[in-house]
Each structure stands twice: as structure tokens, then as C-alpha cells.
Amino acid sequence: AAWARYFSRYATTEVDAVFFNPAGLAKLSNGLHLSINNQSIWQTQTLSNDFALLNYGPDYIGEVQAPVFPSIYGAFKLGKIVISAGFNPIGGGGGAKYDKGVPSFEFLSGVNLMNELNTLLQDPTATTAYSVNTFLEGTSVYFGGQAGVTYKLNDMISVFAGARYVSASNHYSGYLKDLQINTTQAFLNPTGNMMPATDFFQGGANLANQAYTGLNEDLNAGLIAPDDPLSDAVMIGALDALGLYQSGMTNSQAVLTFMGLEQSFLASVTLVSDQEVDVNQTGTGITPIVGIHVSLPMIDIALKYEMKTALQLTNETTKDFLMGYDSVTGAPITMYPDGGITNADMPAMLSGGVNVHPVNKLMVSAGFEYYWDKNVNWDGREQFIESNSYNVNVSAQYNLTKKLLVSGAYQYANMGVGKNYQTDLSYSLSSSSVGFGGAYDITSFLRLNVGYTMVMYADDVVEVPNFYTQTYSKNTRLVAVGLDFNF
């Protein structure tokens, strides 16, 4: 909660130093120190896509709510040694709900289908519209449990060594339902009215089955010969309409072609049927942490380094979206295969800060965080990182009375990602943040912290030439309340 009103915590010597500046815990008084906090977070995510044929476009809005985002820190100091532990979410912590799904779902279910049908039917205007019912909800939280030891080398310098255990959990659920198309096809939908996509492909499979069954009956009855050219005008017309007829095609070749067409249509029936996804992704990792704190008259300076956390997320899938079939084996290709692994390393991070007390009642601070994003394994997405991310901030607080202080802060974060990094389900935007609030000493051993933060993100616009332009937007607000105890 102190961070929500005062971003520059990297040289703090209060109990939340357990997380922000563990080497600074040596400045605490002997005894037990505790901090219990909660942030309530609201975020709106907006994906705007200008592709004209999207059923739900142009705006796809996801609402994120995390009413409980807790942190608990504890430290016990005895002489030169401080033993500390903390628990808090270090990533995620909320759920996003897209009542209309996201654009990529529509491209998957509708636009791609239209392109495939128009190619199959050799007519760019055969399918000009579709409708589909989509929904997506996702949650993500990375919990961190941290412990370590701080040692006071002398009155000026103290150091820290410890580690954090990270437990990551993502969950996605959603559906694609009621896909309809207006494909015009003489044998299956001559009027061009909207019809269920499953009916279209099932009808095509049935017609293909009837065609090769009839040809086989004529072959078995000796009415036609296998090596004779196909002469049935209706069947020639059907194959020609699909771009499958070749001059001189024999009856036996026509049978095989219709059999293959039936299998293709039946596979498409499955692809365009109602689908659901329900998947959990879980994984764990360890983050070694070291830090140093230097105290000078009226100035505190600190650095903390968190090493890279190797993290792999494993799918536990009960329902999944079918994306297609392997062209060689025919095996189904799904979005989240059960047991599949996603590499989601957490990058190494260096943070630092300085606190200055120019006058008795005033403290001003500055700080930074720098992340080595380009050195992680994100299954290839790291190649779209143009520069490592960082944030810088400044803060100030003033003691109005012996018990009451007020504070304010500003932060700029540069994420350094390229256009190809952004996706519907995971995108990153640079931002500016402001925070303000105060603290009140209820007693000599109990402090109340209250803070409010607004995060304002810079939109990112990604253009796919001659196709669409998609804009990624966010905004975040949070309220935090915390109690610090000193015994």
C-alpha cells in the first residue's frame, strides 16, 4: 500500500523493504515488524480491429478485476542480523472477461473459413458474411514466497541474500458457437442465405458420398469401365465447380476424388462445430536475490538484483479449440494440447533507488527497475523484443504532523516490445502512472497506509497491410490499504 502512494520504494527502510530493498532492513529497530496490505485493481483492455467483416467489431473489451491482491511481509531483527519473509502476487492477479471474445477467435472461426470456402469454390464472392457467438475469460496469477537474511556490515553498509519461490497459474475458458455462413453454392445453398456451417459441410459430405457410391454401383454393374473417361455431366459439373475436375479424368479417379472430398468435408464439419476451451497452465520456479544498502547522512542508496527465473507452464486441458489437422499424419492440431509446455521465464531485474531528506519533514526519492527481457525463453516471442524494458520514478512525501504524512509519485515505464510481439491474449504497452495518498500513525507501533494509483497506457497500433489495423489499449486503477506493525 505504501508503494501505491510512493512508487520510489527501492531505498526504503520500512518493513515493506522485505520486497523492495531487503538489504535496508538493517535500519529497522530490534524486534518483530509486520506489514499486511491489499490492493483492489480494475483494468479495462480494449482491442479495436477495423476489418469490415468482423461480426462483433470494431471494439472487443475485456474487463479485469482483482479485488483481492494481498501482500504480507515480516522481519525479525536482532543485532546485526535480520531474518525476513514475504508473500505477494508478483504477476497477474486478476481475471479478464471478453463477452464478445477477441478478434483472433473470429478470424479463426469466420474469416479463415470464408477464405477457404471461396478458394475451394473458386469464387471470391461465394461467401461474403458470417456470424458466430464467441466468449473468452482468462485468469492469471503468479504468487511469490520470499525469504532471506540481511546482515549489517557496519553503520554504513548492509547486505542481503535470499530467494523467492514462484508458483504460476493461468486459466482460460471460452467458446465458439453457432457459426453460420452465406455461401452460395448450387448444390448446397443456391439462395445464398445464412445457414449453419455444419449443415453446409455435412451436405457436401453427403453429396460426395452419393456421387462415389453411384459411380461404384455403375462400375460393379459393368455399366461403366474404371479406365473410361468420366462422362456423367452432373458429376463433371460438380467437380469442375470445386476446381477438382481434370480433362480426361477416369471413372476410378472420380471415385477417389469424391471419396477424398467427403473426408475433407467431414473434417470441416468438426472444425466448424461448436467448440469450447478449458485449460489450466501451471509451473514453478526459483528466483535468487541479492542486495546492498548504503546509509549516508540524510541519504539512503540501495540496489537489488533478482536473477532470471526459469519457468515452464504445463497445460492441463479438459476442452480445447481444434485448429486443423496435420497434413502428413492427419492428427488434430489444437490450441492448448494437453501436457503441452509453454516457456515463460521471468527476466533478471536490477532495481535501485535513493532517498534524500533535504529538510526535517520532507523526503524525496527516485528509483528504477531494469529487466533483461531479451535473455529469456518465451518460445520465440523474445525475438520481437526490441529493447529491454525499464521504469523510472520520482516520489515525495511531507509530514503534516507527527502522525500524518501525505505523498505523491510519478512513474514512466518503457516496455520495449516490437509490433510482432503483440497478440490478443498477451500484449505489452508503455505507460505513465501517478499515485498519491498518505500514512497515519494510529499508535507508536501501528501505521495505516492508503494509496491510489492510475496507470495510463500508450496505445499501440499494429497494421497487417491490405487486411486490417488493430489497436491495443488499456487503463488501470487501483486502491490500496495496509497496516504496518512494529513490536
Side-chain angles (χ1 to χ4, degrees):
W3 170 88
R5 63 174 178 82
Y6 199 93
F7 300 149
S8 309
R9 306 300 298 175
Y10 311 105
T12 182
T13 56
E14 299 176 16
V15 63
D16 64 329
V18 170
F19 180 79
F20 293 102
N21 176 32
L25 294 170
K27 301 285 286 184
L28 294 174
S29 59
N30 285 335
L32 179 64
H33 304 264
L34 297 173
S35 181
I36 301 173
N37 309 266
N38 183 63
Q39 298 178 32
S40 296
I41 305 172
W42 299 268
Q43 183 180 90
T44 300
Q45 302 178 358
T46 303
L47 303 168
S48 298
N49 191 296
D50 66 357
F51 187 67
L53 294 178
L54 288 176
N55 187 53
Y56 286 129
D59 295 331
Y60 298 75
I61 298 174
E63 297 292 345
V64 180
Q65 296 184 11
V68 179
F69 195 95
S71 59
I72 303 173
Y73 308 122
F76 181 78
K77 182 186 178 187
L78 185 60
K80 293 186 175 184
I81 296 177
V82 186
I83 299 173
S84 63
F87 171 84
N88 57 276
I90 57 170
K97 183 178 180 181
Y98 287 85
D99 289 327
K100 300 190 297 183
V102 293
S104 63
F105 279 21
E106 285 210 50
F107 284 120
L108 169 69
S109 61
V111 177
N112 285 354
L113 173 62
M114 289 168 60
N115 290 336
E116 290 173 8
L117 281 174
N118 293 346
T119 300
L120 175 66
L121 300 175
Q122 296 187 312
D123 182 354
T125 63
T127 309
T128 59
Y130 71 91
S131 66
V132 65
N133 185 7
T134 63
F135 173 81
L136 173 66
E137 185 171 17
T139 60
S140 175
V141 61
Y142 286 26
F143 286 115
Q146 176 184 320
V149 176
T150 302
Y151 184 73
K152 182 179 179 181
L153 297 175
N154 52 48
D155 289 340
M156 182 182 296
I157 301 173
S158 55
V159 294
F160 170 84
R164 179 185 300 120
Y165 176 78
V166 179
S167 177
S169 177
N170 300 329
H171 178 257
Y172 301 107
S173 61
Y175 57 72
L176 298 168
K177 295 182 178 180
D178 308 322
L179 178 59
Q180 298 201 23
I181 51 177
N182 72 335
T183 298
T184 301
Q185 212 285 332
F187 296 98
L188 300 171
N189 190 30
T191 64
N193 294 330
M194 296 294 287
M195 69 177 297
T198 51
D199 290 355
F200 178 87
F201 286 109
Q202 186 62 61
N206 293 341
L207 289 176
N209 179 275
Q210 293 172 13
Y212 76 74
T213 298
L215 284 172
N216 275 329
E217 289 177 351
D218 289 345
L219 287 169
N220 293 333
L223 300 176
I224 57 176
D227 296 330
D228 286 347
L230 178 66
S231 58
D232 190 302
V234 173
M235 294 189 182
I236 291 174
L239 290 173
D240 189 51
L242 297 171
L244 298 176
Y245 179 73
Q246 296 180 1
S247 178
M249 175 179 283
T250 66
N251 289 315
S252 60
Q253 288 174 332
V255 168
L256 293 175
T257 301
F258 277 118
M259 291 178 68
L261 188 61
E262 179 192 32
Q263 294 305 309
S264 176
F265 273 123
L266 288 175
S268 296
V269 170
T270 304
L271 278 171
V272 300
S273 297
D274 293 352
Q275 297 192 53
E276 295 182 70
V277 63
D278 191 348
V279 57
N280 287 307
Q281 296 179 321
T282 57
T284 59
I286 300 291
T287 310
I289 306 169
V290 295
I292 184 171
H293 183 98
V294 178
S295 293
L296 301 170
M298 296 189 300
I299 299 176
D300 287 291
I301 304 170
L303 289 172
K304 180 184 69 168
Y305 180 68
E306 299 185 358
M307 301 180 191
K308 184 178 77 171
T309 308
L311 187 63
Q312 290 187 328
L313 304 179
T314 302
N315 295 340
E316 300 172 16
T317 305
T318 55
K319 300 176 183 177
D320 205 357
F321 285 148
L322 179 64
M323 310 288 289
Y325 297 92
D326 187 280
S327 59
V328 177
T329 66
I333 301 172
T334 61
M335 183 175 288
Y336 298 104
D338 188 39
I341 293 176
T342 301
N343 287 290
D345 294 350
M346 300 181 67
M349 186 271 286
L350 177 68
S351 65
V354 56
N355 293 348
V356 180
H357 299 266
V359 296
N360 186 39
K361 294 184 177 183
L362 177 66
M363 182 173 73
V364 294
S365 304
F368 74 91
E369 292 177 337
Y370 184 87
Y371 295 85
W372 279 268
D373 299 318
K374 300 181 75 170
N375 295 338
V376 298
N377 183 352
W378 288 340
D379 291 334
R381 288 188 76 200
E382 66 276 8
Q383 67 181 306
F384 304 127
I385 301 293
E386 295 181 348
S387 62
N388 290 324
S389 62
Y390 66 88
N391 66 64
V392 292
N393 48 60
V394 292
S395 308
Q397 70 181 36
Y398 186 79
N399 288 76
L400 296 176
T401 69
K402 289 183 178 180
K403 290 189 173 184
L404 177 65
L405 65 83
V406 293
S407 63
Y410 171 80
Q411 176 169 283
Y412 172 73
N414 186 305
M415 304 314 295
V417 301
K419 301 292 186 182
N420 290 329
Y421 178 88
Q422 313 289 36
T423 71
D424 291 358
L425 300 181
S426 176
Y427 60 96
S428 186
L429 304 175
S430 296
S431 64
S432 293
S433 304
V434 293
F436 56 87
Y440 182 75
D441 292 330
I442 300 172
T443 69
S444 60
F445 60 84
L446 178 60
R447 166 171 283 193
L448 170 68
N449 280 294
V450 177
Y452 178 78
T453 297
M454 295 182 294
V455 186
M456 296 149 287
Y457 298 87
D459 292 353
D460 195 8
V461 180
V462 177
E463 182 179 359
V464 179
N466 303 315
F467 194 8
Y468 66 82
T469 297
Q470 184 153 299
T471 303
Y472 298 84
S473 306
K474 287 183 187 179
N475 69 78
T476 300
R477 297 84 62 206
L478 68 88
V479 176
V481 179
L483 291 171
D484 294 347
F485 302 85
N486 300 296
F487 300 102

